[in-house]
Amino acid sequence: MTIIKQADLIQSVADALQYISYYHPVDYIKGLAAAYEHEESPAAKDAMAQILINSRMAAEGHRPLCQDTGIVTVFVKVGMNVQWDATMSLDDMINEGVRRAYNDPDNTLRASILADPAGKRTNTKDNTPAVINVSIVPGDKLDVIVAAKGGGSEAKSKFAMLNPSDSIVDWVLKTVPTMGAGWCPPGMLGIGIGGTAEKAMLMAKESLMDPIDIQELIARGPSNRAEELRIELYDKVNALGIGAQGLGGLTTVLDIKVKDYPTHAANLPVALIPNCAATRHAHFVLDGSGPVALDPPSLEDWPKLTYNPTNARRVDLDTVTPEDVASFKPGEVLLLNGKLLTGRDAAHKRMVEMLNKGEPLPVDFKGRFIYYVGPVDPVRDEVVGPAGPTTATRMDKFTEQVLAQTGLLGMVGKAERGPAAIEAIKKHRSVYLMAVGGAAYLVAKAIKASRVVGFADLGMEAIYEFTVQDMPVTVAVDSLGTSVHQTGPKEWQAKIGRIPVVVA
C-alpha cells in the first residue's frame, strides 16, 4: 500500500509547472528542427528559427517560453490502493502547487486566470484554479500529467456534432483554415471522436499530452482507423499551405493526435483542439518515496542557430512618418527601434469607453505604434519578462475607432487581421506588423526599458512604454491592405500541389 504525502504532491506539481515553463518537450524540439530543415518558405523558416532560438534561450535562462504561461490543465490517475497523508482535498493540493509555481520569485509566471468570467473578470493573481480531470484506476501509484495551455490556441478549439455519414476529414480540412494563425502553428492538433460532446473535447485535449511520433507511425504503417486518420490528416492539413505563423509554408502541423470512444448510433461528435508552438506538458508518477524531480533535457537536443535577419530594414519609431509606413512592403522584415506603446484587450476596451465619453487618454497615440502584449513580470535585473505578442484579431473590433480618433500609425501583434481591421488599416494608411508567437523571451531581449504609462490597475494588461532595440517584426498588412496571411498560404498551397510528398 502506497502513502502519498500532501507536501510531495504540492511540490511535484509546482516543480513540474516551473519545468514546463522553460523546457519544451524534446520530441517537439526535434520535430520542429526537422521541419525547419525541410522548410522551403523563407518567411516560415524565419519564424521557426525564432521559435527554436527562443526555446534554447528559455531553457538556458530558466524563463518562460511564452508570455502566456497558460491555464493549468491536470490529468490525474489515482490508484485504488493509494492512501493519503493529507488534510487538503486533491483539488486543493494541486491548486496549492499551481499557486507556488506561478508566484515563484526566481521565475515568476504570468497570472492569466480571471474569476467571474461573465462578469467582473477579476484576476485571481496566482493562476488558480487549475482544470483538473481525475480517474480512479487499479494500482498503488499516483499518475499525473501537468500542462499549461495558452489562451490563443485554446481560443481556436472547435466542436461539431456531425451526422454519422459525414466525413471527419472533410470537416477538419474545412475547419482548420477558419482557425487562422492565432494558435501559433506549427503545433499539434488533437482530435476526439465519439462519446458525447464533453467526452470528445476531453479526448482531444488529452491526446495533446502524447509525444510527437507521426514519422514513426508513417514508417511502420497504421494498425487501426484512428491511426489511418492521423496519417491522412497530417498530409492533408500540411497541404493546406498555412505554414508557420500562417505565413505560408510546408509545415502547419508537426503531428495529429486522435482518440476515439464508442458513441450513440445517431451521433458523430468530433472535437478539434490545437496545441501551439509553446507546447508545455510533463508526466510524473508518485509512488510514496517523495516528490518527483524531473530531469532537465540536454542542450544538445536544440539546434545551434543564431538570429541575424539579412536585408532587414531598421525603423526608428521615434521619427517614423506616414510616408515611411507607406514604403513598407508585405512580408518585409523590419527591426524596430525606439519607443513602443503596448495595449491589449482590457486597455482597448477602456480606451474606447473613454473616447466615447470624450475623455482624454492617458497617453498620446498620434504617430505612435502599439504592441498587443501582456508581459510577464521581470525578475532579478530584467526590465521586463518574456513579452511575445497576443492574437491581434481580438483587437479588430476596436481598430477603426482607435485609428480614426487617436492618430495611431501602426500596430504589432500575432497572426492575421480580419476583414474589418484590414479595411481600417487601408482606409487610414496604417500598417500591421507581426511578431512571432512562441518567441517571447527572444523578443524580451530587444526591450531595453519598460514603464507603465496608463491603466496601472490592469496589471499585465496596462499600457506600457517599451524602449526597443532591433525588435524583429514582419510587415503583415501594408498600408494598401495587402495581407501576407492571405497571400502566403494561397501561394504555398499551390506550390505544395506540385511538390512530391517526401516522408522523412
Side-chain angles (χ1 to χ4, degrees):
M1 183 177 295
T2 299
I3 298 176
I4 304 295
K5 295 181 179 179
Q6 174 174 298
D8 292 347
L9 176 55
I10 291 171
Q11 189 63 50
S12 297
V13 168
D15 289 349
L17 286 169
Q18 278 285 308
Y19 181 97
I20 65 176
S21 76
Y22 45 73
Y23 288 139
H24 264 127
V26 172
D27 57 278
Y28 178 84
I29 291 302
K30 291 183 175 179
L32 184 59
Y36 169 81
E37 293 297 331
H38 180 59
E39 187 56 67
E40 297 178 20
S41 162
K45 201 172 183 77
D46 177 271
M48 284 193 266
Q50 289 192 51
I51 294 168
L52 286 165
I53 292 167
N54 178 80
S55 178
R56 185 184 178 98
M57 289 172 61
E60 291 174 332
H62 282 198
R63 289 295 274 145
L65 293 156
C66 180
Q67 80 289 338
D68 183 352
T69 49
I71 183 168
V72 177
T73 302
V74 184
F75 294 91
V76 188
K77 295 179 180 177
V78 183
M80 295 171 71
N81 294 325
V82 163
Q83 293 287 308
W84 293 93
D85 179 5
T87 58
M88 301 169 70
S89 70
L90 179 58
D91 280 17
D92 287 346
M93 285 186 275
I94 291 171
N95 283 322
E96 179 57 28
V98 174
R99 186 172 292 111
R100 292 186 187 181
Y102 279 73
N103 288 331
D104 188 318
D106 291 326
N107 181 38
T108 305
L109 307 181
R110 196 183 81 180
S112 304
I113 304 308
L114 308 182
D116 190 16
K120 293 182 179 179
R121 294 179 66 84
T122 304
N123 198 302
T124 64
K125 304 296 186 183
D126 56 15
N127 226 57
T128 64
V131 178
I132 303 168
N133 305 279
V134 181
S135 55
I136 306 297
V137 298
D140 58 358
K141 294 180 175 59
L142 191 72
D143 186 289
V144 183
I145 295 175
V146 175
K149 186 70 159 58
S153 62
E154 188 70 3
K156 303 301 181 179
S157 302
K158 304 293 181 182
F159 173 80
M161 187 63 78
L162 301 181
N163 291 320
S165 60
D166 290 343
S167 166
I168 294 171
V169 172
D170 287 351
W171 178 77
V172 171
L173 295 179
K174 180 178 70 175
T175 300
V176 170
T178 70
M179 292 159 51
W183 59 282
C184 282
M188 298 165 62
L189 295 181
I191 298 174
I193 304 169
T196 52
E198 77 280 8
K199 179 66 174 178
M201 292 298 284
L202 185 60
M203 289 189 294
K205 178 64 66 66
E206 191 171 13
S207 74
L208 294 171
M209 306 300 111
D210 292 340
I212 293 172
D213 62 357
I214 191 70
Q215 299 304 332
E216 290 88 337
L217 173 58
I218 292 171
R220 70 168 169 81
S223 58
N224 53 50
R225 179 54 184 152
E227 292 183 346
E228 290 173 355
L229 274 173
R230 284 183 62 194
I231 295 173
E232 182 178 3
L233 286 170
Y234 174 77
D235 289 337
K236 291 182 175 179
V237 169
N238 280 328
L240 293 172
I242 294 168
Q245 302 293 300
L247 295 169
L250 299 179
T251 301
T252 302
V253 290
L254 298 176
D255 204 342
I256 301 275
K257 297 298 184 183
V258 175
K259 284 186 179 291
D260 61 19
Y261 195 83
T263 193
H264 192 283
N267 301 144
L268 181 55
V270 183
L272 187 159
I273 301 179
N275 225 3
C276 63
T279 292
R280 294 164 293 199
H281 55 84
H283 179 202
F284 63 85
V285 177
L286 292 178
D287 60 6
S289 61
V292 171
L294 296 171
D295 294 327
S298 169
L299 289 177
E300 295 303 311
D301 292 321
W302 275 262
K304 293 179 175 62
L305 300 174
T306 56
Y307 189 69
N308 183 25
T310 58
N311 302 319
R313 188 196 314 201
R314 281 189 167 81
V315 174
D316 186 343
L317 295 172
D318 300 330
T319 61
V320 65
T321 66
E323 291 72 28
D324 294 329
V325 166
S327 72
F328 296 168
K329 303 300 181 186
E332 183 180 8
V333 176
L334 308 177
L335 297 174
L336 302 183
N337 292 269
K339 300 292 193 297
L340 177 64
L341 297 171
T342 79
R344 44 177 285 161
D345 307 66
H348 275 75
K349 183 174 183 291
R350 189 174 292 181
M351 284 162 54
V352 166
E353 290 171 348
M354 294 176 72
L355 290 172
N356 289 340
K357 295 176 183 177
E359 298 174 354
L361 299 180
V363 63
D364 185 2
F365 285 89
K366 185 174 178 58
R368 306 289 297 273
F369 277 61
I370 193 168
Y371 181 29
Y372 302 148
V373 63
V376 177
D377 288 341
V379 298
R380 296 180 289 280
D381 59 348
E382 292 178 341
V383 299
V384 70
T390 198
T391 307
T393 49
R394 298 202 310 275
M395 268 52 73
D396 281 5
K397 65 182 181 180
F398 305 115
T399 300
E400 165 59 32
Q401 184 174 1
V402 170
L403 290 179
Q405 294 187 239
T406 70
L408 185 72
L409 190 54
M411 298 151 283
V412 184
K414 181 182 78 176
E416 75 284 349
R417 303 306 298 263
I422 292 174
E423 187 58 35
I425 290 166
K426 181 179 178 181
K427 175 182 173 183
H428 296 281
R429 295 295 187 263
S430 180
V431 69
Y432 168 61
L433 311 174
M434 189 209 79
V436 171
Y441 198 38
L442 176 64
V443 170
K445 293 301 182 182
I447 301 170
K448 304 306 179 182
S450 170
R451 66 188 183 103
V452 174
V453 293
F455 308 151
D457 61 298
L458 295 181
M460 63 93 173
E461 294 210 63
I463 298 176
Y464 293 78
E465 183 182 72
F466 290 162
T467 301
V468 298
Q469 180 179 324
D470 286 350
M471 175 179 165
V473 294
T474 299
V475 180
V477 181
D478 73 355
S479 62
L480 300 178
T482 302
S483 169
V484 297
H485 288 98
Q486 295 175 357
T487 59
K490 287 180 181 177
E491 175 189 349
W492 280 91
Q493 186 174 11
K495 286 184 177 181
I496 290 169
R498 298 191 296 271
I499 297 173
V501 176
V502 178
V503 176

